[in-house]
Amino acid sequence: MPELPEVETTLRGVSPHIMGRAVAGVVVREPRLRWPVPPELHGLLVGQSLVSASRRGKYLLLAFANGTLMIHLGMSGSLRIVPVGTPAALHDHVDIIFGRNLLRYHDPRRFGSILWQPGDVTEHALLAHLGPEPLSDEFTGEYLFQRSRKRTQNIKQFLMDSKVVVGVGNIYANEALFMAGIKPIRKAGTITRHQYQALVERVKFVLARSIEQGGTTLRDFVGGDGKPGYFKQQLLAYGRGGEPCVQCQKPLKEVRLGQRTTVYCTVCQS
């Protein structure tokens, strides 16, 4: 599933090609995504110029004068910039045409979404209750410490709760916890203030480094330019269950937490 760095990489890849440009057309080949693509999308967008492009959590927000297009890549979605006239492939469900190029939404599993918010996008039900961005100044060790008091949920699931902090997905939660030396099965309420500060620093580090390198390629992810990400080459924990720990050489343990694969070192993480 594309996580925050992949979404940020996509945003940075497509924005220069569409910013300030007017929409010349909208083609919806398959409206049945996680939620139906709004049938009035053509009338809402044609003639409107893109004012800004941003990200909130894993949502790409394309703002126009009359509202905001909210795009979520789901489990297998991607956005590409391609020349107008490029034949559509299987699972190319939506095109938004900007002059000579178009923004093409591709999603084999159709679990992503394309929604429209006419008013303040931050008030949309999917965004209104999200926690702070992990790379923002609001996300601190003290913040996590205070939010975690009396919480019996394990630290990994707590860290992945979008109401606590937005966009720290499975891959990066595994990596940050490994780097911080915190066992993912520990209760969130037992983590100390000092440990939370270390964890926040590792979350920011691993996300920033992944964004710099273009995201993490697993199966489906490619950036807006069609090129894969390269962060997978540097993963220390995720996907390495049974392999030697890079620090102590003991085999990494793999378990399931909240139906997600979780990998950690029984020696280096406590």
Side-chain angles (χ1 to χ4, degrees):
M1 179 182 293
E3 296 193 16
L4 185 151
E6 288 76 47
V7 179
E8 182 68 25
T9 297
T10 296
L11 173 66
R12 296 181 184 189
V14 303
S15 295
H17 301 278
I18 59 178
M19 186 61 63
R21 297 183 181 275
V23 175
V26 177
V27 178
V28 179
R29 299 181 190 85
E30 175 54 85
R32 297 172 300 172
L33 302 181
R34 182 174 185 178
W35 297 287
V37 176
E40 68 275 19
L41 205 56
H42 184 277
L44 288 167
L45 289 180
V46 171
Q48 296 289 329
S49 295
L50 182 63
V51 175
S52 68
S54 60
R55 177 192 55 75
R56 181 70 171 107
K58 298 180 184 179
Y59 286 90
L60 286 163
L61 307 178
L62 303 184
F64 300 84
N66 59 337
T68 303
L69 198 64
M70 299 170 50
I71 303 176
H72 196 290
L73 300 180
M75 299 182 71
S76 61
S78 64
L79 288 171
R80 304 268 188 90
I81 297 292
V82 298
V84 169
T86 302
L90 184 66
H91 307 307
D92 284 347
H93 301 315
V94 178
D95 290 346
I96 301 173
I97 303 168
F98 292 87
R100 294 176 296 177
N101 293 319
L102 57 86
L103 183 65
R104 175 161 286 171
Y105 179 79
H106 175 90
D107 190 355
R109 301 186 189 181
R110 290 193 286 118
F111 204 65
S113 61
I114 297 178
L115 301 171
W116 179 259
Q117 172 67 4
D120 182 354
V121 72
T122 63
E123 296 180 356
H124 192 281
L126 293 170
L127 304 183
H129 303 292
L130 294 180
E133 292 283 334
L135 294 175
S136 71
D137 292 340
E138 298 173 67
F139 183 56
T140 65
E142 183 63 24
Y143 164 79
L144 273 190
F145 178 77
Q146 295 298 334
R147 286 295 302 265
S148 68
R149 295 307 86 191
K150 298 182 181 181
R151 295 287 289 265
T152 59
Q153 184 181 33
N154 68 66
I155 180 58
K156 180 166 177 274
Q157 289 179 288
F158 175 71
L159 190 60
M160 291 177 62
D161 184 345
S162 63
K163 293 181 181 179
V164 175
V165 57
V166 67
V168 182
N170 194 36
I171 297 173
Y172 302 102
N174 271 274
E175 293 298 293
L177 287 165
F178 177 82
M179 292 178 180
I182 299 171
K183 192 173 293 185
I185 59 176
R186 276 185 61 182
K187 293 180 180 179
T190 69
I191 309 298
T192 67
R193 182 181 273 106
H194 177 75
Q195 288 175 315
Y196 270 123
Q197 183 56 42
L199 179 57
V200 164
E201 291 172 3
R202 301 310 186 275
V203 167
K204 291 176 182 284
F205 171 78
V206 74
L207 289 175
R209 187 173 69 174
S210 181
I211 290 169
E212 288 173 2
Q213 299 188 26
T216 303
T217 292
L218 296 178
R219 286 196 301 270
D220 303 309
F221 172 69
V222 290
D225 56 1
K227 297 178 181 178
Y230 298 100
F231 186 65
K232 186 181 179 184
Q233 300 171 21
Q234 298 188 22
L235 293 178
L236 302 177
Y238 183 85
R240 299 190 64 243
E243 296 181 23
C245 171
V246 296
Q247 296 177 161
C248 73
Q249 304 306 306
K250 296 290 185 181
L252 294 172
K253 185 172 183 178
E254 182 173 314
V255 297
R256 301 285 287 184
L257 291 179
Q259 300 183 335
R260 298 294 187 92
T261 299
T262 302
V263 179
Y264 67 96
C265 179
T266 58
V267 176
C268 299
Q269 292 170 261
S270 59

